[in-house]
Structure formats: structure tokens, C-alpha cells
Amino acid sequence: MSVKSSPILRPALVLFTVLTLICGIIYPLVVTGIGKVAFADKAAGSLIIQNSKVVGSSLIGQEFSAPQYFWGRLSATSPMPYNATSSGGSNFGPSNPALIDAVKGRIAALKAADPTNELPIPVDLVTASGSGMDPEISLAAAYYQAARVARQRNLGVDAVRAIIEAKQETRSMGFLGEPRINVLELNLALDQKH
């Protein structure tokens, strides 16, 4: 039986070829082109460039552990934290001993870094995000760390709070989500000013 003599095979091959061209070549090229024209920064990965060098992306969290920097959310990606090729949360439930131990460890680290801080610790400083790479923290988490960062940089707390206020992002479209701050952008702003 040949392709020419089959009443079913020929239309199936034609349909396969047409759909491959549309879905596999034309559609991706059109969407990529629209993205590069209409959303050039986002389509390129929202890269943050400083001194002609890429220092990160505003969409992907980075690990900061030095006391003069603001710390972001924990990362549950493996085999290392903030691994963009392994996005995902830990999937630990609230009663899971591994999650409880991780939270206790982070609380201890926060208290050791700033033993005089008596503010309540915001939950986003002791838990990982669903993606494991959240680039933002709540304003409460930023204000919680302001005194430590100010002390480490020999700045007044008011100066650090002013930078937080200048870099904060409001709710999306005025009503979605909560006010937040991008940790990388905040730390870069601190480095530039002080």
C-alpha cells in the first residue's frame, strides 16, 4: 500500500506538515517577535546590567548572606539554592519536621545576625517560596533587616529606610498582591549610594 493509494494517510501527512509549520515554526517566531518589540526587557529575561556587566535578573532571586546586605527568601531548589534550572518548592507541609528544622535554623540565623532586634520575624524570611527563587520580600521583611544593614554599613536606620521606600513596588494594577521589594535591586541601590 503506497502513500498515494491510501485515502487516510495522505491527509494525515498533509495535516501533520501544516500543523508542524504553524505550531512549531510560525507561531513561536511571531510570539517571540511580538515579545521582543512590545516587551523587550521582559523578553530578554529582565536582566539587571551594571557597569556593562549582567549582575542578575529582577525575576530570579539570588543568595545574599553577608550581614551588610538584605537577605531574600529561602530557596528550596536543588542541588543548590537559587538554581534556575530546578525551580520548585520543597512541598513540605506545616507539620513536616524538615520544614520546622529549616524555619528554626533561619530564625536562629536572623537572631544571631541581629540579636537586639525584637521585631516579629516576617514569615517570608523563614520560609521558601513556591518557585524557590522568589526575588522579592515583603516590606515588613525589609524593615525587619534595616537596623542590621544600617549598622553593618555605618549608616543611619532612616537612610536605609529611605532607600527601602524609594525601591518598593506597589500592588500590581493597584489592587493585586502586596507591596514588596526586589532584594537584588535594593542591595544594588545600597551599594551605589553607600
Side-chain angles (χ1 to χ4, degrees):
M1 185 158 136
S2 70
V3 174
K4 291 181 182 178
S5 65
S6 172
I8 296 173
L9 194 54
R10 182 182 171 101
L13 288 174
V14 169
L15 184 60
F16 173 76
T17 304
V18 168
L19 289 175
T20 298
L21 286 172
I22 292 171
C23 298
I25 298 173
I26 297 171
Y27 177 77
L29 288 174
V30 168
V31 170
T32 302
I34 290 171
K36 286 188 175 193
V37 170
F39 309 102
D41 180 55
K42 288 181 171 59
S46 298
L47 300 176
I48 297 174
I49 299 170
Q50 199 171 52
N51 299 326
S52 302
K53 181 181 175 190
V54 175
V55 294
S57 169
S58 64
L59 302 175
I60 298 175
Q62 292 185 21
E63 185 170 18
F64 289 96
S65 57
Q68 70 269 23
Y69 288 107
F70 284 89
W71 300 343
R73 293 196 74 171
L74 294 173
S75 174
T77 62
S78 63
M80 61 192 171
Y82 305 100
N83 180 4
T85 63
S86 180
S87 176
S90 67
N91 293 330
F92 293 146
S95 62
N96 188 305
L99 177 63
I100 294 168
D101 290 343
V103 168
K104 286 180 181 176
R106 185 62 180 240
I107 289 171
L110 288 166
K111 288 188 176 192
D114 194 3
T116 60
N117 192 340
E118 298 197 11
L119 294 171
I121 298 173
V123 70
D124 54 328
L125 286 180
V126 296
T127 57
S129 66
S131 70
M133 298 180 298
D134 195 342
E136 300 163 335
I137 56 174
S138 66
L139 293 180
Y143 288 128
Y144 176 84
Q145 300 178 76
R148 170 181 49 85
V149 171
R151 189 171 46 256
Q152 291 292 323
R153 290 179 177 261
N154 295 318
L155 297 170
V157 175
D158 290 338
V160 173
R161 286 178 173 264
I163 295 171
I164 292 171
E165 289 168 15
K167 297 304 289 181
Q168 72 175 310
E169 299 173 30
T170 58
R171 297 170 189 248
S172 299
M173 296 192 292
F175 66 94
L176 292 174
E178 293 296 322
R180 62 210 177 279
I181 192 157
N182 186 292
V183 178
L184 175 59
E185 292 176 1
L186 176 59
N187 286 331
L188 290 173
L190 276 167
D191 282 347
Q192 286 178 352
K193 293 190 178 187
H194 305 285

